[in-house]
Amino acid sequence: MSDLIKCVAIDDEPLALEVIDKFCQRLGSIELKKFSNPAIGLEAIGQSRPDIVFLDIEMDGINGLDIASRLPKDTCFIFTTAYLRYAVNGFDLDAVDYLHKPFAYSRFQIAFSKAMRRIGREQIQTAPQSIVVKQEYNNISIPLDDILYIEAIEAYSRIFRLTGKCVTSRILLKNIYTMLSPELFLRIHRSFVVSKSKIKSFTKQEVILNNGKALPVGRQYASELFAILIH
């Protein structure tokens, strides 16, 4: 059995597909195929038999409930829609969960975990308590709860710690971010990753940490920041 979880997302809104794609990338080990045309998506599901399907309900010219009723038997699917009135009908069709748009990453994780249990693919993983990075010739172990924020400076990353010390490592910020738990850390800018528990307040322009440090919020990260922290 492949380690990758095969998923299909059907939604006539490109932005909604991008959100699902981004969340799947954060979860990792997922192969996602996206379709804005419901008919083509349904055909692809019949051919590839994915593990999990994400399905919008109210799409142009077709209702996702109809698509759901035509899915291959025992298909594990999750509804993603802005319309709460369909919830009862959705569960009557044996949907695993119902994600009400706009949904946060934390809510997406819950729905995905339910789907993994349904298909018998849930794995128990122990989250790491620290990361190890190289500073010059030394390997340095940094407890996750000691990290305030991480800043990218060209080909380096600077890890600012509660202790007041700063570790500079020749590792790209995007690579360090993959080492961190998305439950604990959040990227707010192309140059900054912050510890969620160290955030005192935030707007769409900046984040204020518990120590008073102000960090900018990138325009492309503002919506996800609000979706995750307000949920």
Side-chain angles (χ1 to χ4, degrees):
M1 180 182 292
S2 172
D3 290 335
L4 286 177
I5 304 300
K6 296 192 300 180
C7 297
V8 165
I10 300 177
D11 198 308
D12 61 353
E13 297 179 9
L15 182 58
L17 290 175
E18 288 178 18
V19 169
I20 293 174
D21 191 13
K22 182 181 293 185
F23 287 175
C24 284
Q25 289 182 39
R26 289 183 66 179
L27 282 172
S29 300
I30 296 174
E31 179 185 87
L32 177 69
K33 294 182 179 180
K34 300 171 291 182
F35 299 92
S36 57
N37 184 310
I40 295 177
L42 180 60
E43 183 178 353
I45 291 170
Q47 293 174 351
S48 64
R49 294 299 178 100
D51 298 299
I52 302 170
V53 173
F54 299 97
L55 180 62
D56 186 22
I57 292 184
E58 194 154 295
M59 294 178 280
D60 188 26
I62 192 167
N63 189 299
L65 295 172
D66 180 53
I67 292 289
S69 67
R70 294 158 57 190
L71 292 173
K73 186 178 180 181
D74 298 327
T75 299
C76 179
F77 65 97
I78 298 168
F79 278 125
T80 61
T81 180
Y83 301 95
L84 284 172
R85 64 178 180 271
Y86 293 120
V88 174
N89 290 336
F91 284 118
D92 284 346
L93 289 168
D94 202 27
V96 172
D97 206 344
Y98 187 103
L99 291 172
H100 184 217
K101 298 177 183 176
F103 46 86
Y105 176 68
S106 57
R107 182 66 183 85
F108 181 85
Q109 282 184 301
I110 291 171
F112 190 83
S113 293
K114 289 181 180 178
M116 290 290 278
R117 288 194 294 271
R118 172 76 67 89
I119 65 176
R121 293 285 298 274
E122 187 174 42
Q123 297 177 337
I124 299 174
Q125 298 179 337
T126 301
Q129 301 301 308
S130 63
I131 60 172
V132 176
V133 298
K134 185 179 288 293
Q135 180 172 253
E136 296 181 343
Y137 299 103
N138 298 314
N139 290 312
I140 301 176
S141 178
I142 306 174
L144 297 183
D145 58 7
D146 188 36
I147 299 175
L148 269 172
Y149 68 97
I150 307 170
E151 180 181 10
I153 300 179
E154 296 181 348
Y156 293 82
S157 293
R158 301 181 70 197
I159 303 172
F160 292 85
R161 307 173 62 174
L162 283 175
T163 56
K165 297 179 181 180
C166 175
V167 176
T168 301
S169 181
R170 196 177 178 84
I171 304 178
L172 295 176
L173 181 63
K174 66 177 183 179
N175 294 334
I176 289 185
Y177 191 41
T178 63
M179 300 163 61
L180 302 170
S181 167
E183 290 296 302
L184 303 176
F185 292 88
L186 179 64
R187 190 160 190 176
I188 62 169
H189 189 277
R190 65 193 298 254
S191 299
F192 293 101
V193 167
V194 302
S195 169
K196 288 198 256 185
S197 66
K198 311 301 190 302
I199 295 175
K200 181 179 181 181
S201 62
F202 61 94
T203 67
K204 288 188 175 181
Q205 286 73 45
E206 68 175 8
V207 161
I208 307 297
L209 301 181
N210 291 336
N211 67 347
K213 177 70 176 181
L215 300 175
V217 174
R219 184 178 301 176
Q220 71 183 94
Y221 299 94
S223 296
E224 185 177 357
L225 170 74
F226 266 66
I228 291 173
L229 296 182
I230 290 179
H231 182 76

